[in-house]
Amino acid sequence: DQFDNLDKHTQWGIDFLEKYAKFVKERIEIEQNYAKQLRNLVKKYCLKRSPKDEEPRFTSCIAFFNILNELNDYAGQREVVAEEMGHRVYGELMRYSHDLKTERKMHLQEGRKAQQYLDMCWKQMDNSKKKFERECREAEKAQQSYERLDNDTNATKADVEKAKQQLNLRTHMADENKNEYAAQLQNFNGEQHKHYYIVIPQIYKQLQEMDERRTIKLSECYKGFADSERKVIPIISKCLEGMILAAKSVDEHRDSQLVIDSFKSGFEPPGDFPFEDYSQNIYRTISDGTISTPKQEGMRIDSKTTVGKAKGKLWLFGKKPKGPASEDFSHLPPEQRRKKLQQRIDELNRELQKETDQKDALIKMKDVYEKNPQMGDPSSLQPKLAETMNNMDRLRMEIHKNEAWLSEVEGKVAARSDRRHSSDINHLVTQGRESPEGSYMDDANQEVRGPPQQHAHPNEFDDEFEDDDPLPAIGHCKAIYPFDGHNEGTLAMKEGEILYIIEEDKGDGWTRARRHNGEEGYVPTSYIDVTLEKNSKGA
């Protein structure tokens, strides 16, 4: 008798199922948006395609990009969660909800049909009952009419006989309706018993099973909802472990060493500035009233000032000269030049290895052609083989030339500490015979002789200095390679040309030289073969 309530309950169950499906759908959208935002974040901060020189080298940068890669994998796992929920939970819920609605509709229709059939039986029974009741009343009326006419002496025999026939007719009809009513009543009672004890319980049982299956399906979806998350936990844990390993890989000492290697120039620190004594002319006038000849004064110009002036034209402690880069990287500081040369040698060796492999392959192919002429003409490989051999010779020459430059740079870098040590010793030895401004004297009582007073502005010193006598030659050199000498302060030279050496290489890769016509300038040390005279440093 609770058919309507069961109808409402099953409808509520389906509504609750759809409500949970909507919840899962929104959760899927959250996972998808989360994964999308994570991927956009990774893409925003991920390293763009850049030249090889700009690739991250510091361990902190490498660790950060590794973390981004792990985060990208983590975002992929969130997408897996969303896909698993969509397929295993949401999709299954929507299919089951459609089937559930169809099954519920069928069961309810069967219940309504059974109820309608019982109502029809009741109506038939009720109609037969009413008809039987009506016929009984009519029969009673006919009996009363017959008895009244039968007792009436004035009534004719025909009237009495007619009333009797009417009574018999009504009695017969009442009996028939009575039998029909009894049959309908018996039928209704049977259908009612069948309805409440067989049909409706069967329908209710089917509705109960349907509702229980709905509950079980919800339980399975709850479990699947959690399993979708649990399946990716091991991979997510690996992503997090990868982030932790990336954090542990950061090495501050290695990063500091990379900075040192990147910016290490190899230059020596600048020397002390000399003391310029502008009172020496006064003391000289007081002592003898004479001054030295201009030539002697020009010869006694401080060597440090000369070197500083000359270097200032070319390169002052790390300032690179303007102009195109040299093939031997002589425009770079020594340490950076050594690294560039080593990189070029490595690249040339790789190219040489490729050419060697290609030559071996061509030789093998040529042997195959010679043994099997039908496969090809051996002479057709000769031009390619000759080109490969020429490339190998060219690469070997390039490697030899760069190795020579590298050996020269490494020799200077290795000798820098020795040179610095010897310069400190020379400074201590000559301290007793060199004035603060670089002038020489035989002993402590000898008259001080120095360069003439400079009244010009410091920027005009170069012009006045160039008018002095040239420095003495300390050796000679032969040009191994030609040099254009486009930069200011450099000297152009041809291959095989002989030049005088007037100042040695101070560790910056340049040597000061002079032609026979008196033209002076700096040339790359790696381009010349130097021969120094004995005791040249003391000259």
Side-chain angles (χ1 to χ4, degrees), residues 291-483:
I291 60 176
S292 303
T293 62
K295 182 177 181 180
Q296 291 173 340
E297 292 174 357
M299 293 297 293
R300 292 300 181 181
I301 292 177
D302 182 17
S303 60
K304 293 182 179 179
T305 306
T306 304
V307 174
K309 172 250 178 187
K311 281 190 177 181
K313 285 186 176 181
L314 175 68
W315 181 329
L316 181 58
F317 193 61
K319 291 184 179 178
K320 299 182 180 180
K322 296 181 180 179
S326 302
E327 182 185 5
D328 61 347
F329 300 111
S330 56
H331 62 288
L332 294 176
E335 188 65 25
Q336 302 301 322
R337 181 186 177 195
R338 182 187 64 80
K339 292 173 61 178
K340 289 290 186 180
L341 288 172
Q342 187 62 52
Q343 292 177 2
R344 180 188 287 174
I345 290 173
D346 295 339
E347 292 175 0
L348 292 173
N349 283 326
R350 286 193 291 270
E351 293 180 8
L352 180 60
Q353 184 62 39
K354 290 181 181 178
E355 295 292 338
T356 304
D357 296 340
Q358 186 176 359
K359 182 197 72 171
D360 295 340
L362 289 173
I363 292 175
K364 290 181 181 179
M365 190 179 296
K366 184 178 179 182
D367 294 339
V368 173
Y369 287 175
E370 290 175 351
K371 294 178 181 178
N372 301 295
Q374 67 274 12
M375 296 184 66
D377 184 10
S379 59
S380 63
L381 300 176
Q382 193 62 34
K384 186 64 176 177
L385 189 59
E387 180 184 355
T388 303
M389 297 295 291
N390 291 333
N391 291 337
M392 291 175 62
D393 294 338
R394 177 182 57 81
L395 290 172
R396 288 193 184 99
M397 292 178 62
E398 289 290 332
I399 291 172
H400 179 71
K401 182 170 64 174
N402 284 272
E403 285 179 347
W405 290 334
L406 181 62
S407 299
E408 182 255 334
V409 173
E410 288 178 343
K412 285 184 170 59
V413 173
R416 187 177 302 115
S417 60
D418 297 338
R419 183 184 297 117
R420 187 182 298 111
H421 180 66
S422 62
S423 64
D424 293 340
I425 296 176
N426 292 335
H427 177 71
L428 294 175
V429 171
T430 59
Q431 188 174 8
R433 55 187 299 270
E434 184 178 359
S435 65
E437 68 276 11
S439 301
Y440 292 90
M441 54 187 175
D442 294 335
D443 53 45
N445 296 324
Q446 187 177 356
E447 179 184 3
V448 178
R449 293 180 298 168
Q453 292 182 350
Q454 302 292 339
H455 300 285
H457 192 273
N459 294 334
E460 301 173 1
F461 177 76
D462 291 347
D463 298 334
E464 295 186 4
F465 180 76
E466 290 175 355
D467 296 336
D468 296 333
D469 291 341
L471 294 175
I474 60 175
H476 64 277
C477 66
K478 181 179 179 181
I480 304 175
Y481 307 105
F483 179 64

Side-chain angles (χ1 to χ4, degrees), residues 63-93:
F64 174 65
F65 291 122
N66 290 336
I67 290 175
L68 289 179
N69 292 332
E70 297 293 344
L71 188 61
N72 190 57
D73 295 340
Y74 176 82
Q77 296 307 309
R78 304 319 308 178
E79 292 176 347
V80 170
V81 171
E83 183 178 358
E84 185 72 13
M85 286 184 179
H87 174 72
R88 184 176 176 181
V89 181
Y90 179 72
E92 186 67 22
L93 283 174

